[in-house]
Amino acid sequence: MNAAAGLSVLFYGGTGVISSACAREAARAGHTVSVLHRGQTPSRALPDGVEVMHADVRDSNWVAHALGGRRFDVVADFLAFHPDNVRQSLDQLAGRCGHYVFISSASAYQTPPSRLPVTESTPLRNPLWDYSRNKIACEDLLVQRYRDDGLPMTIVRPSHTYDATSPPLFGGWTAVERLLRGAPVVVPGDGTSLWTVTHARDFARAFTTLLGEPTAYGEAVHITADTALTWNALFTTLAAAAGVEAHLVPVASEAICEGRPELTGSLLGDKAQSMVFDNSKIRTFAAGWHAETTFAQGAREIVRWHREQDVCRVEPDLDAYFDELVARWRP
């Protein structure tokens, strides 16, 4: 059963890759959409009619002033990363939220997974990334509140979700710029591990069916594409979209992290692991849903956006580090 249109929906967030796509889709589906964020990050385009309110969600007095006495059928929280954040959000929303939707992460699943594909019953355990462990702790808190108090909540786990502004390559825009200028790019591991990338608009179509849906209360569900590509294929597909040749240099993930320990969580605790997902559960809410955007299409959109916006987001230190790795690891 899909939620009916006409709900009042508040997004904590609304400027990010996923949250902005979900706000657009919720509005398209006929919901009354408001977004709450600090207003310090340039917003991705939201449709006319979406209400934008400014407040720091970690400042409860500011939030109370922004919301006044309003109540919302659904609040989707994209800005909670620690159990204390969830507690604060629930306190802020007491008496004004019919359905709380928490955005977790597929990186919370067992890492590395003992079997593929990953399902919602796959254990949650990631010893390598604080971000993931904190998301697990958030989920534990919400599950306990559901069991003890009947909190109408749903947990949603995105995997690597992207749009035209956010290339899903290891190294991000630095890697894209290296591809475009013909420089060798560093590929984690041997490049053959499988990685699932999902376009934000596909995620949003499935996500919107969960809003205000009573059968989703107390449930956790991931939303991802059904197919996975190797890292080699991700790099070469984007290079093909740009009309350039990809010069790939495989580097052991552990070696990458030795020189940049801050990459350990997101690489060894996430991207270095093959991840393929079973999306049967989300289809019980979004009948017939599947991700429609292939990465070949998404890659063309990334290249087009990059060229139209004339953006260059190279991280000089990371770019220099890639040069060092290439010098050591290129055959």
Side-chain angles (χ1 to χ4, degrees):
M1 180 174 65
N2 293 340
L7 300 175
S8 59
V9 182
L10 173 65
F11 286 81
Y12 270 21
T15 65
V17 169
I18 303 178
S19 62
S20 61
C22 290
R24 288 192 296 271
E25 181 62 23
R28 190 200 65 77
H31 301 307
T32 300
V33 177
S34 303
V35 300
L36 180 73
H37 59 81
R38 290 181 299 173
Q40 297 179 353
T41 302
S43 299
R44 290 171 173 85
L46 293 173
D48 293 340
V50 171
E51 178 187 22
V52 178
M53 296 180 285
H54 292 155
D56 183 344
V57 298
R58 303 281 74 88
D59 185 330
S60 292
N61 290 330
W62 194 356
V63 170
H65 177 74
L67 298 183
R70 298 170 64 181
R71 186 185 186 281
F72 299 88
D73 296 316
V74 185
V75 177
D77 193 346
F78 288 81
L79 299 179
F81 303 96
H82 187 276
D84 289 343
N85 299 156
V86 174
R87 292 187 188 94
Q88 185 179 28
S89 294
L90 294 179
D91 286 344
Q92 293 168 356
L93 298 168
R96 62 165 85 237
C97 172
H99 179 202
Y100 179 77
V101 181
F102 171 67
I103 311 306
S104 185
S105 170
S107 69
Y109 286 122
Q110 183 185 60
T111 305
S114 60
R115 62 176 62 88
L116 295 174
V118 168
T119 71
E120 284 80 1
S121 63
T122 297
L124 304 183
R125 182 178 184 272
N126 190 332
L128 298 171
W129 200 4
D130 286 344
Y131 168 83
S132 306
R133 290 196 295 273
N134 284 331
K135 287 291 191 179
I136 293 170
C138 291
E139 292 197 24
D140 289 343
L141 185 158
L142 288 167
V143 169
Q144 192 65 48
R145 286 289 304 272
Y146 173 74
R147 289 173 177 166
D148 292 348
D149 308 322
L151 175 72
M153 68 81 185
T154 301
I155 295 165
V156 181
R157 299 172 185 145
S159 185
H160 197 158
T161 308
Y162 74 100
D163 66 6
T165 74
S166 179
L169 297 185
F170 172 68
W173 281 113
T174 301
V176 173
E177 289 288 338
R178 292 181 69 89
L179 277 174
L180 296 180
R181 70 173 186 260
V185 293
V186 171
V187 180
D190 63 2
T192 63
S193 61
L194 294 172
W195 192 240
T196 300
V197 297
T198 309
H199 198 285
R201 62 174 166 258
D202 287 328
F203 178 95
R205 287 189 296 106
F207 176 85
T208 301
T209 67
L210 299 170
L211 302 179
E213 176 51 64
T215 62
Y217 294 176
E219 297 284 356
V221 60
H222 56 241
I223 302 173
T224 80
D226 294 302
T227 57
L229 296 173
T230 66
W231 279 106
N232 287 339
L234 286 167
F235 278 97
T236 56
T237 299
L238 197 139
V244 299
E245 183 179 355
H247 305 282
L248 308 182
V249 178
V251 178
S253 298
E254 293 80 4
I256 294 172
C257 295
E258 284 177 5
R260 294 287 295 263
E262 69 274 16
L263 297 176
T264 299
S266 64
L267 184 52
L268 295 183
D270 198 25
K271 296 179 179 66
Q273 316 299 330
S274 285
M275 294 297 284
V276 181
F277 299 88
D278 180 335
N279 284 287
S280 298
K281 187 170 183 179
I282 186 58
R283 292 193 183 97
T284 66
F285 302 102
W289 175 87
H290 66 279
E292 297 174 350
T293 306
T294 66
F295 185 60
Q297 180 182 348
R300 291 192 294 271
E301 295 174 2
I302 289 168
V303 172
R304 182 169 60 251
W305 186 88
H306 176 276
R307 289 172 173 165
E308 289 176 351
Q309 300 296 320
D310 192 27
V311 296
C312 181
R313 301 183 182 181
V314 169
E315 298 177 49
D317 290 345
L318 182 59
D319 195 32
Y321 184 55
F322 284 159
D323 284 335
E324 293 176 19
L325 291 172
V326 167
R328 294 206 307 267
W329 287 78
R330 182 161 53 183

